Amino acid sequence: MSMIGKTILSEIVTGKKIFNPGEILQELNRSIIESLNQDNDKDNIQSDGMDITVCQVDYTNKQVQIGCANHIVFIVSGDTIEMIEGDIYSIGGLFTILQKPIFSNHIIPIDRDMSIYIFSDGYQDQFGGEKNQKFMLNKFKDLIFSLRHLPMEEQKTIFYEEHLKWKGNFRQIDDILVIGIKIHK
């Protein structure tokens, strides 16, 4: 699914010149459903789809545009952290086909020294700690906020070390992706 999604995403942005994240997700969803023939065989379709976040930084208009398909994004600015909740739909999959969603486009004004955190669910879903529990989203949010003043390279090291410490001897259950983007006005 990821390889097909990457190819289609490239065609949407480079070929069709669509840059609005919500519109990109809309077109990606339509193209994935069409490519995998998901709309014509609802009885045999897999129920899972692809979760993705698309982000556009527009320095000319001093804004960030974000579209999230079943993802969450954190925006840190000064001493605040804001959670952008994406749409509940994935790209492709039975639920999305039945609901026919319109994907949102969130517009956030660029603020001085703002940071954007885009991530998969692997970090917060990792089991570990003393009671073999999930790390959880709130703990992940607190970790991001506590690191906000550090350079991204240091944050990367701490995210990695905290994950290893939490996981301990338990196996990693999912892929983990954390992207931190520091934007200067």
Side-chain angles (χ1 to χ4, degrees):
M1 180 76 97
S2 296
M3 290 176 61
I4 294 169
K6 179 186 176 298
T7 303
I8 294 171
L9 190 58
S10 180
E11 174 57 31
I12 291 168
V13 175
T14 352
K16 295 181 179 180
K17 306 285 189 225
I18 298 174
F19 303 113
N20 175 294
E23 292 175 22
I24 290 170
L25 293 178
Q26 201 67 40
E27 184 64 19
L28 181 60
N29 185 53
R30 187 198 62 71
S31 296
I32 288 284
I33 290 169
E34 182 180 291
S35 294
L36 298 177
N37 202 26
Q38 290 181 331
D39 210 15
N40 295 327
D41 195 9
K42 292 179 183 153
D43 294 332
N44 294 319
I45 191 172
Q46 291 182 349
S47 63
D48 52 47
M50 178 173 60
D51 301 341
I52 185 172
T53 296
V54 177
C55 178
Q56 178 199 47
V57 179
D58 182 352
Y59 285 107
T60 304
N61 295 309
K62 297 179 174 72
Q63 64 185 14
V64 175
Q65 296 187 44
I66 298 172
C68 307
N70 202 28
H71 265 184
I72 293 170
V73 172
F74 288 121
I75 307 286
V76 177
S77 183
D79 286 330
T80 63
I81 186 166
E82 178 184 357
M83 183 169 72
I84 305 294
E85 291 189 65
D87 298 298
I88 62 170
Y89 307 100
S90 294
I91 299 296
L94 184 60
F95 182 62
T96 302
I97 290 168
L98 296 175
Q99 297 298 315
K100 307 223 183 288
I102 304 281
F103 289 93
S104 304
N105 191 56
H106 303 271
I107 299 174
I108 300 108
I110 291 178
D111 196 9
R112 197 174 130 258
D113 292 328
M114 111 192 254
S115 298
I116 301 168
Y117 294 87
I118 301 169
F119 48 91
S120 66
D121 58 0
Y123 203 101
Q124 67 264 17
D125 284 351
Q126 178 62 51
F127 285 93
E130 293 178 12
K131 298 179 182 178
N132 191 23
Q133 296 175 325
K134 286 186 178 185
F135 193 80
M136 301 301 286
L137 185 62
N138 280 335
K139 190 180 289 197
F140 184 61
K141 177 182 174 185
D142 291 344
L143 177 59
I144 287 172
F145 193 67
S146 73
L147 303 177
R148 70 189 178 280
H149 297 300
L150 297 176
M152 286 297 177
E153 197 60 37
E154 285 183 50
Q155 290 186 37
K156 175 184 171 184
T157 300
I158 294 170
F159 278 125
Y160 179 72
E161 290 170 351
E162 285 295 315
H163 170 73
L164 289 180
K165 188 169 105 181
W166 178 260
K167 182 175 72 105
N169 293 325
F170 299 105
R171 72 177 182 85
Q172 185 172 318
I173 61 163
D174 201 355
D175 62 315
I176 296 174
L177 175 68
V178 178
I179 300 172
I181 304 165
K182 186 161 289 267
I183 298 175
H184 302 283
K185 198 170 184 179

